[in-house]
Amino acid sequence: MPATVVVDGTITVAETDENYVCATIDWWPHDKCDYNHCPWEYTSVVNLVGLCNSSASSLDAFRPLRIRIGGSLQDQVLYDVGNLGSPCHSFFKMKGGLFGFSKGCLNMDRWDALNNLFSKTGAIISFGLNALHGRHKIKNKVWGGPWNSTNAHDFISYTISKGYKIEAWEFGNELSGTGIGASVSADTYAKDVVKLNEIVDALYKNSNKKPSIMAPGGFFEQGWFAKLLKITGPGTLNTVSHHMYNLGAGVDHHLIEHILDPYYLSKVSKTFSSLSQTIQQNGPWASVWVEKSGGAFNSGGFHVSDTFVNSFWYLDQLGMAAAYNTKVYCRQTLVGGHYSLLNTTTFVPNPDYYRQGC
């Protein structure tokens, strides 16, 4: 049956940032495996191969492309600067470790190399800081105690001394609410966001532009997010960041059905709507980012997340998020996992890479 679609281009529903699309670079090592697949290869922040050739051209094609550096292991990352007090080693599998891995370390030679790449390609960088440093596990997934900010302070100071441009410093990854691997109470978390803001204010006092403060980089839970905004107050938390994996687990055999079902895809609008209301009521000064979204969690769906069919989910998400006034949408990942925009070994673009320019 013929149909006529009329689009009214005179009414503004919402506004995104000029550089709306974004991609992530994660910390997972090559031996991160899910469902008998190990799809990360050498794509981590600390071991990404092809750093100055294939990945550079892929970034340069979208000049400028926003890049979010962070992920599940970021709250175990130390920075090899100042008085670290321990050896700087890579992540390794460890029984009892958060997500099954040890603490890891970013050395400054690697940070210099990454920033050389970012400078050449005009990438806009947000960096997720370790928000668990100094804390201890109280019970189950709950962590408490004061945040040790010394290492983060020294790392930010080093970054400034080298002239590296950071758009936003983000505090923690998936520690909000009940958390994923760990959680921190909203009261404690908010006080440390205030502390991070004070550090950034002091270190950037002679700079022309101060990076924004972003948090919590986790899954939306209304009460927790509302308390975070109330305690931090105006002028501290510039951006509320949240994660979105609305397709379910990567092992789900119904992934393609979910992707092609408009009703299923629309369910997540409730999250966008509730978050929008929470911010308006408790922190209208803050903008919103989806700063980590890969569709299916646990590295994505094998032979699904890296194929053309996934584009239906991705385009739907880009449009829906924009309609709810999301300023930036970060796709998990630029490279790494099944949901990678680039093939993890050849760096040849997967289909969703081309949706970045839509």
Side-chain angles (χ1 to χ4, degrees), residues 3-14:
T4 300
V5 177
V6 178
V7 179
D8 187 346
T10 64
I11 300 175
T12 300
V13 176

Side-chain angles (χ1 to χ4, degrees), residues 40-348:
W40 287 86
E41 301 293 341
Y42 290 89
T43 61
S44 165
V45 177
V46 296
N47 63 20
L48 176 63
V49 296
L51 192 61
C52 297
N53 39 59
S54 300
S55 50
S57 61
S58 300
L59 286 173
D60 200 40
F62 285 98
R63 179 186 291 264
L65 177 63
R66 271 199 166 95
I67 294 292
R68 182 257 182 173
I69 297 176
S72 298
L73 296 182
Q74 83 177 48
D75 294 303
Q76 298 186 94
V77 177
L78 297 175
Y79 319 110
D80 191 18
V81 61
N83 185 20
L84 183 59
S86 60
C88 184
H89 59 74
S90 300
F91 291 108
F92 57 86
K93 286 190 174 182
M94 186 177 79
K95 186 177 181 180
L98 201 60
F99 300 105
F101 284 91
S102 69
K103 292 181 179 180
C105 183
L106 174 65
N107 67 59
M108 293 303 98
D109 286 344
R110 182 63 178 180
W111 184 228
D112 294 342
L114 284 166
N115 278 278
N116 182 52
L117 169 67
F118 300 149
S119 177
K120 286 181 178 178
T121 58
I124 304 170
I125 306 303
S126 61
F127 189 96
L129 295 166
N130 180 344
L132 286 183
H133 188 44
R135 304 191 203 276
H136 60 276
K137 185 185 291 187
I138 298 175
K139 62 177 180 178
N140 299 326
K141 293 191 299 182
V142 180
W143 287 57
W147 173 54
N148 185 337
S149 62
T150 302
N151 193 226
H153 175 284
D154 292 345
F155 177 60
I156 295 171
S157 181
Y158 177 87
T159 300
I160 295 170
S161 73
K162 300 290 285 188
Y164 300 148
K165 296 180 180 179
I166 302 295
E167 181 188 32
W169 292 105
E170 185 178 34
F171 191 62
N173 182 84
E174 296 178 352
L175 302 175
S176 56
T178 56
I180 300 301
S183 68
V184 176
S185 72
D187 303 75
T188 300
Y189 200 95
K191 292 173 184 176
D192 289 328
V193 169
V194 172
K195 185 175 184 179
L196 172 61
N197 184 60
E198 292 171 350
I199 290 170
V200 171
D201 274 345
L203 291 177
Y204 282 90
K205 63 182 179 181
N206 296 322
S207 301
N208 294 327
K209 187 177 180 182
K210 169 196 163 186
S212 60
I213 302 297
M214 185 160 60
F219 292 98
F220 175 66
E221 291 188 24
Q222 195 277 333
W224 197 100
F225 274 60
K227 185 175 286 188
L228 171 68
L229 287 163
K230 288 177 181 177
I231 296 175
T232 54
T236 299
L237 182 57
N238 310 109
T239 303
V240 173
S241 54
H242 69 116
H243 295 177
M244 185 73 66
Y245 286 89
N246 60 310
L247 294 178
V251 74
D252 190 338
H253 296 297
H254 300 287
L255 280 181
I256 292 178
E257 293 174 33
H258 295 334
I259 291 169
L260 298 177
D261 182 352
Y263 174 75
Y264 187 93
L265 295 179
S266 296
K267 289 181 180 180
V268 78
S269 64
K270 295 178 181 178
T271 299
F272 284 113
S273 177
S274 182
L275 175 58
S276 179
Q277 292 174 19
T278 299
I279 291 174
Q280 287 305 310
Q281 294 168 3
N282 300 282
W285 53 83
S287 62
V288 183
W289 285 26
V290 173
E291 55 80 68
K292 187 181 177 189
S293 181
F297 58 80
N298 289 343
S299 302
F302 179 61
H303 286 172
V304 175
S305 297
D306 57 352
T307 65
F308 175 77
V309 72
N310 199 62
S311 300
F312 292 97
W313 162 80
Y314 189 31
L315 290 174
D316 183 81
Q317 273 284 291
L318 289 173
M320 186 184 300
Y324 282 96
N325 221 32
T326 300
K327 299 305 179 186
V328 175
Y329 191 102
C330 295
R331 167 63 181 265
Q332 172 83 344
T333 61
L334 176 67
V335 58
H338 296 306
Y339 36 40
S340 178
L341 292 172
L342 305 174
N343 182 282
T344 55
T345 54
T346 67
F347 292 91
V348 171

